[in-house]
């Protein structure tokens, strides 16, 4: 099958409408502009959501109503053939999980994406649980969580996070920038800047139920993060921790 390209707003008025119609491997191409939507990803694997233009051109604004994008497949495997690329997710809020992007048992590839000024109960910017996700060239800023993970919260997941800036995010508890619990993560080539929390201002690694959790951290600048304990980095009951070239 030859993938179709569904263009917004030329072919469809909303991103949600195009995603609902798209088949596996189709491209949903969003032209520059601001789109006020709270997207629930359909149960179709392999859709590519791409922003046209430069990295500041295509914005999905959640109007503080819910997560900007929720991917929670019920009867479908969503894997790394599903791609979100070159999109700004802004003003997600009033969300139980993540204000910007919520991944529940979904494992897309997220590239060249910004999450800005979002808030949620379980994570300000991105929340993931039971995932095997790839995030590259990511910017998360000015997000707030009601619980752990001002920028990102990761539970029971495998995550490859590379080439990122996570800055000016807040949590009242653990992990102002990133909160990791019972997961296997590779985090490299990024900046944690001016994030704040009670514990682990930049990054908090916690093991609770899973004894085989691991973190491989390398080439990360951890700068001006604040917390009562562990301003930059804090780890608790995390079994396998590899650190190289942090500054």
């Amino acid at each position: 099958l030859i993938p179709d390209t569904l263009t917004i707003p030329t072919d469809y008025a909303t991103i949600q409408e195009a995603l609902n119609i798209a088949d596996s491997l189709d491209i949903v191409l969003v032209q520059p502009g601001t789109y006020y939507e709270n997207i629930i990803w359909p149960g179709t694997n392999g859709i590519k959501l791409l922003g046209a233009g430069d990295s500041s051109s295509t914005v999905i604004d959640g109007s503080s109503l819910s997560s900007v994008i929720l991917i929670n497949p019920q009867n479908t495997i969503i894997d790394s053939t599903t791609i979100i690329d070159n999109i700004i997710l802004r003003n997600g809020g009033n969300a139980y999980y993540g204000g910007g992007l919520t991944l529940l048992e979904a494992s897309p590839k997220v590239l060249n994406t910004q999450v800005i000024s979002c808030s949620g109960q379980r994570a300000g910017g991105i929340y993931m649980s039971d995932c095997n996700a790839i995030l590259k060239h990511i910017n998360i800023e000015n997000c707030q969580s009601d619980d752990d993970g001002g920028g990102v919260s990761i539970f029971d997941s495998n995550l490859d996070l590379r080439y990122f800036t996570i800055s000016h995010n807040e949590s009242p508890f653990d992990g102002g920038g990133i909160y990791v619990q019972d997961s296997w993560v590779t985090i490299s080539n990024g900046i944690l800047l001016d994030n704040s929390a009670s514990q682990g201002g930049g990054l908090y690694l916690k093991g609770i139920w899973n004894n085989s959790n691991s973190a491989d951290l390398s080439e990360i600048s951890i700068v001006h993060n604040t917390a009562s304990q562990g301003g930059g980095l804090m780890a608790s009951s995390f079994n396998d921790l590899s650190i190289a070239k942090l500054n």
Side-chain angles (χ1 to χ4, degrees), residues 68-103:
V68 181
I69 297 179
L70 167 65
I71 306 181
N72 182 21
Q74 302 300 307
N75 301 301
T76 305
I77 294 174
I78 299 293
D79 62 23
S80 60
T81 61
T82 296
I83 296 173
I84 298 171
D85 191 357
N86 200 35
I87 300 285
I88 297 173
L89 309 180
R90 188 178 71 191
N91 290 336
N94 196 32
Y96 179 73
Y97 292 108
L101 174 63
T102 294
L103 305 177

Side-chain angles (χ1 to χ4, degrees), residues 101 108-113 115 126 128 132-140 151-154 157-166 177-180 184-192 202-203 205 216-220:
L101 174 63
K109 185 182 295 182
V110 182
L111 309 171
N112 305 301
T113 293
V115 181
I126 297 176
M128 61 182 65
N132 186 11
I134 298 170
L135 278 62
K136 294 185 178 180
H137 301 285
I138 301 297
N139 178 51
I140 302 171
V152 185
S153 284
I154 304 152
S157 294
N158 289 274
L159 172 65
D160 185 353
L161 171 62
R162 302 174 191 261
Y163 311 111
F164 63 89
T165 299
I166 296 176
I178 303 173
Y179 176 81
V180 179
W184 302 263
V185 297
T186 297
I187 302 174
S188 66
N189 299 98
I191 300 170
L192 293 169
L203 169 63
L205 304 169
D216 185 356
L217 312 177
S218 62
E219 302 282 355
I220 303 172

